[in-house]
Amino acid sequence: MWDLTIITKWAESTYDAKDTRILQRRALILTMIFCALNPAELERMKSETSKFKDNFVQTQVQAKISGGETVKVIINKHPNLRFDTVAALQRWMVNTKTTFKDEYVWFDIEEGWIVNLQKIKEELVAVLRENGIPDTFTVYSIRYAVITHFARLQDADWKAIKAYARWAPGSREAQEYFSVLPVQDTKWILEVIGSPGPLAEKGDKSEKDSERKDIINEETES
């Protein structure tokens, strides 16, 4: 998809920012990257169920799965404080306690009220555009980029990747729809993402186009 260091470098460069909007954008996009959350799950985060420990933060989200099961999400501290999600969330939530005083984590800066799903998408996309990521990529491409990043690692563990992104153990969505391999000397590879059928591992057959449309519809629903 695109190199995640584009965003982590932005997070490093804005580490000392005092602007409320930047604080929220950093916390939003780092949480999405390091938890592989989707925007709907981000929207459902609550401050009252987000607990900070010494080396991690634990939160709960209503997962985007059948029945809307509430799942526990743990975010570990990163050794590089400049793009550590725990530190970014902590800074933002300290700000919200003194500014907004509500149970939810994210807020509409202009309105001073709980942010809706569309606004979360707008804030995330604003970071992509600010960093030169083409407008053909949407907010959902962040999750695709995360999975592709893990898939490119040597000896990628698909079982661990699927558990990380909260897919069922037997699911093949990660391999066939969320990763783009191989990636060689190409910064933008949307033409591969937009191919007629989903990508499959070597030796595997692609699923039917109708199944691919179901995945796309799931990822783009509000």
Side-chain angles (χ1 to χ4, degrees):
M1 289 293 292
W2 38 271
D3 189 348
L4 278 175
T5 59
I6 295 171
I7 299 302
T8 55
K9 286 179 180 177
W10 171 82
E12 285 186 291
S13 69
T14 56
Y15 172 71
D16 294 321
K18 303 295 190 295
D19 181 82
T20 302
R21 184 182 296 279
I22 295 177
L23 288 177
Q24 176 161 244
R25 285 179 176 176
R26 289 183 80 257
L28 270 168
I29 204 159
L30 288 174
T31 301
M32 190 171 186
I33 288 173
F34 285 95
C35 294
L37 295 178
N38 62 51
E41 291 170 337
L42 280 171
E43 182 192 26
R44 298 164 187 156
M45 284 180 64
K46 293 185 177 182
S47 59
E48 61 184 10
T49 55
S50 299
K51 308 298 181 185
F52 289 89
K53 308 294 182 181
D54 289 341
N55 296 310
F56 65 92
V57 59
Q58 176 181 299
T59 190
Q60 296 178 7
V61 296
Q62 187 179 358
K64 194 177 175 185
I65 58 176
S66 178
E69 177 186 355
T70 298
V71 297
K72 184 186 301 182
V73 177
I74 294 177
I75 314 168
N76 293 309
K77 289 187 71 67
H78 195 282
N80 186 337
L81 187 62
R82 289 184 171 272
F83 55 80
D84 173 35
T85 308
V86 177
L89 268 173
Q90 210 157 18
R91 286 184 68 193
W92 168 245
M93 290 177 71
V94 166
N95 180 281
T96 61
K97 284 181 180 179
T98 58
T99 308
F100 299 106
K101 297 179 181 176
D102 203 280
E103 63 177 358
Y104 287 87
V105 175
W106 316 110
F107 295 89
D108 187 314
I109 304 300
E110 285 81 14
E111 299 297 328
W113 190 239
I114 300 168
V115 73
N116 59 27
L117 180 57
Q118 182 57 38
K119 191 66 176 179
I120 283 179
K121 292 178 183 178
E122 290 173 4
E123 294 297 302
L124 289 165
V125 167
V127 177
L128 303 187
R129 303 298 170 259
E130 180 182 335
N131 287 278
I133 296 173
D135 58 11
T136 44
F137 290 92
T138 71
V139 64
Y140 293 101
S141 74
I142 299 171
R143 184 170 162 92
Y144 280 77
V146 170
I147 303 306
T148 294
H149 174 81
F150 285 133
R152 292 182 65 189
L153 298 177
Q154 185 176 4
D155 301 322
D157 184 341
W158 283 107
K159 182 178 179 181
I161 291 171
K162 286 184 277 192
Y164 175 77
R166 295 170 302 285
W167 277 302
S171 171
R172 289 189 55 78
E173 288 185 32
Q175 294 100 313
E176 297 186 359
Y177 298 98
F178 281 79
S179 62
V180 183
L181 298 173
V183 181
Q184 296 177 342
D185 303 319
T186 304
K187 189 172 184 180
W188 313 118
I189 51 174
L190 188 64
E191 67 275 9
V192 178
I193 291 291
S195 62
L199 296 172
E201 289 181 319
K202 187 176 182 180
D204 291 338
K205 293 182 179 180
S206 297
E207 299 291 340
K208 293 183 297 185
D209 286 348
S210 60
E211 293 178 354
R212 183 171 186 267
K213 289 177 182 177
D214 290 341
I215 298 296
I216 293 171
N217 289 337
E218 179 185 348
E219 281 295 297
T220 55
E221 68 180 6
S222 296

